[in-house]
Each structure stands twice: as C-alpha cells, then as structure tokens.
Amino acid sequence: MHEAFDAGASGYVLKDAADKEVVAAVRVVAGGDRYVHPVHGAWLVEAATAERNRVVDPLSERERKVLRLLALGHTNQEIATLLYISVRTAEAHRAHILRKLALSSLAELVRHALSEGLLDEA
C-alpha cells in the first residue's frame, strides 16, 4: 500500500473489494481526494504513528562499542588496543559520540551509557 501511494496512486482498493466499494473509491478519487478502505486507513495511521515514535540511535555500532568501553573506564589507548584501531581513531570516535549525543563530559557519557543499558551487555 505504501509503495502504491509513493508511486503516485490516489486510492487503494483490494482486488476482492465489492463493486460498490470500487465505485465509491473511483468517485472519491475523481473528486480529488484519496481513498483507502477504513480498516486499511486505520492501519496506515497506526504505522505512521509508530514510525514517528520510533527513536533512531544516532551512534554506529563501533561508536556504541567505544561508548561502552569509555563508560567502563578504559582510556583511548586501551580502547585502541582492544578494537585494533589507532589512538587517533579512538579519540575521533569519542568526539563524534559527544557531538551526536550533545554531551560535554565523560560523566555525561557514563550516565548515558548506564541509561541505555550498555554496561549490562556481555
């Protein structure tokens, strides 16, 4: 259904819809509106609401690993050794994490890691 509307469709009727529904859908679309069966319309609204409420993690998987290691008290040198990266790369990850999460200190990083459950991981 999403693909149909993304492609420019103005209405969506199931192939087993009754003749009356098809006629009603054509009239609605001809009048300049969009048509979706009420049951499917409710589903679209629920899906859109869920999508808006979904929080996207701004950190990459590598940044999450670095964040966890920082919160556990590892230095940039130790992180570099553990993850087989250079110290400068570890420092860059730390700077990106701070910027992406709008944090300014190691204490805030630790607090964020705790609230996200990153220290509970094995």
Side-chain angles (χ1 to χ4, degrees), residues 44-56:
L44 283 173
V45 170
E46 288 175 21
T49 301
E51 182 65 25
R52 275 195 307 277
N53 291 336
R54 187 174 61 94
V55 177
V56 177

Side-chain angles (χ1 to χ4, degrees), residues 31-81:
D33 292 321
R34 290 182 170 227
Y35 179 84
V36 177
H37 188 278
V39 171
H40 295 103
W43 178 82
L44 283 173
V45 170
E46 288 175 21
T49 301
E51 182 65 25
R52 275 195 307 277
N53 291 336
R54 187 174 61 94
V55 177
V56 177
D57 187 0
L59 301 180
S60 68
E61 187 61 34
R62 176 65 80 169
E63 289 167 338
R64 289 181 66 75
K65 287 179 183 176
V66 171
L67 173 58
R68 183 176 187 279
L69 292 171
L70 285 167
L72 289 171
H74 291 281
T75 65
N76 289 330
Q77 178 65 51
E78 292 169 336
I79 292 169
T81 301

Side-chain angles (χ1 to χ4, degrees), residues 59-108:
L59 301 180
S60 68
E61 187 61 34
R62 176 65 80 169
E63 289 167 338
R64 289 181 66 75
K65 287 179 183 176
V66 171
L67 173 58
R68 183 176 187 279
L69 292 171
L70 285 167
L72 289 171
H74 291 281
T75 65
N76 289 330
Q77 178 65 51
E78 292 169 336
I79 292 169
T81 301
L82 289 167
L83 298 180
Y84 304 103
I85 58 177
S86 72
V87 173
R88 290 196 57 147
T89 300
E91 292 168 350
H93 283 311
R94 181 179 180 158
H96 293 151
I97 293 165
L98 287 168
R99 181 180 44 79
K100 286 181 175 182
L101 299 177
L103 303 175
S104 59
S105 69
L106 183 58
E108 289 177 334

